[in-house]
Amino acid sequence: MNELSQVFAGGKAFIPFITAGDPSIEVTQELVPRMQKAGADLIEIGIPFSDPIGEGSTIQEASIRALSRGVNVDKIFSAMEFIREFTDVPVAFMAYANTVFSYGSDKFVKRCKDVSVQGLIVGSAIVEIMGAYGEECIPYVLEYVRAMKDGIS
Amino acid sequence: MKSYFCQDDHGQITPVYSISAGLDYPGIGPEHAFLADSDRAEYVSVTDEEAVEGFEYLARTEGIIPAIESAHAVAYARKIVPEMNRDETVVICLSGRGDKDVASMAKYKRVQVNE
């Protein structure tokens, strides 16, 4: 059983979501350990994207706030390194395909593993490239979660 | 399916603008991306001002009002035609009609119209 499956081993799990960098990356760094103390079993961290097609207005607005403060993938990985000094709470990233693709999907997945991110949700990945993500996750034992149905891109 | 998009180093899609609503989009259709990659089509840019000149030129000389999207093609044709021989032929695809663009053209030209 992998780490992400263990989160659900007891049945229900408490999984709060925050958008990285909203309102600042420093606040994100504070929130993760605090959410663990508050009982979070898994924390889902959204990586803000300019075109968050899979979100409602609340997370869209959070993404815009975070991007306007200059957050980017490198800063989020650095923040995760910092967070890992304080907590080992399971974390899953919610990202959009273009963020992972432009960073280099292999490099992205490897960095996730380096900072002990156990899950990766790629909401907008379509079938042709999704397979590649899945394969790149396997060597690092990162759980790959498919969120949207085929045909949505 | 992949295509080309205007984006920054982190893959964030950049805000774009065009006088033409149909071109006011940061990407291109994947078919165009394929045609470009396979060297079967060459893509060029045309400014708003050049497109407006193309729009007016075709309306004035041929009595045809092109869509402002198509007016970009007219504008580019006007750039290359002076370098061509008389017996060479140019085909311009007018993908749409410009009746729909008259109001936005008036706005661009700061002409008062009653819509």
Side-chain angles (χ1 to χ4, degrees), chain B residues 17 19 48-50 52 103-111:
Chain B
Y17 166 79
I19 187 176
D48 280 0
E49 193 182 345
E50 290 166 341
V52 167
S104 56
M105 195 57 66
K107 194 177 167 193
Y108 183 85
K109 303 288 284 186
R110 297 176 192 278
V111 176

Side-chain angles (χ1 to χ4, degrees), chain A residues 17-97:
Chain A
F17 175 95
I18 52 168
T19 296
D22 173 35
S24 70
I25 203 73
E26 289 77 19
V27 169
T28 303
Q29 289 173 175
E30 278 183 39
L31 283 177
V32 173
R34 286 193 189 194
M35 286 192 291
Q36 184 188 27
K37 280 186 193 139
D41 300 304
L42 168 69
I43 295 167
E44 187 183 346
I45 298 179
I47 296 179
F49 180 54
S50 54
D51 292 48
I53 56 166
E55 318 289 359
S57 57
T58 301
I59 297 175
Q60 282 183 15
E61 286 162 18
S63 302
I64 292 165
R65 281 195 299 271
L67 290 174
S68 72
R69 299 290 293 270
V71 75
N72 61 44
V73 171
D74 281 322
K75 288 179 183 175
I76 293 166
F77 279 125
S78 297
M80 271 309 300
E81 274 176 27
F82 182 78
I83 287 164
R84 283 300 180 219
E85 292 177 22
F86 303 97
T87 174
D88 58 355
V89 65
V91 166
F93 275 170
M94 156 71 196
Y96 282 82

Side-chain angles (χ1 to χ4, degrees), chain A residues 48-51 67 71-74 98-99 101-102 126 128-129, chain B residues 1-3 5-15 25-26:
Chain A
F49 180 54
S50 54
D51 292 48
L67 290 174
V71 75
N72 61 44
V73 171
D74 281 322
N98 204 50
T99 304
F101 176 74
S102 66
I126 51 172
E128 292 162 80
I129 51 175
Chain B
M1 195 172 290
K2 296 175 192 167
S3 192
F5 289 87
C6 300
Q7 56 187 304
D8 68 14
D9 293 340
H10 301 283
Q12 305 291 357
I13 307 303
T14 49
Y25 179 70

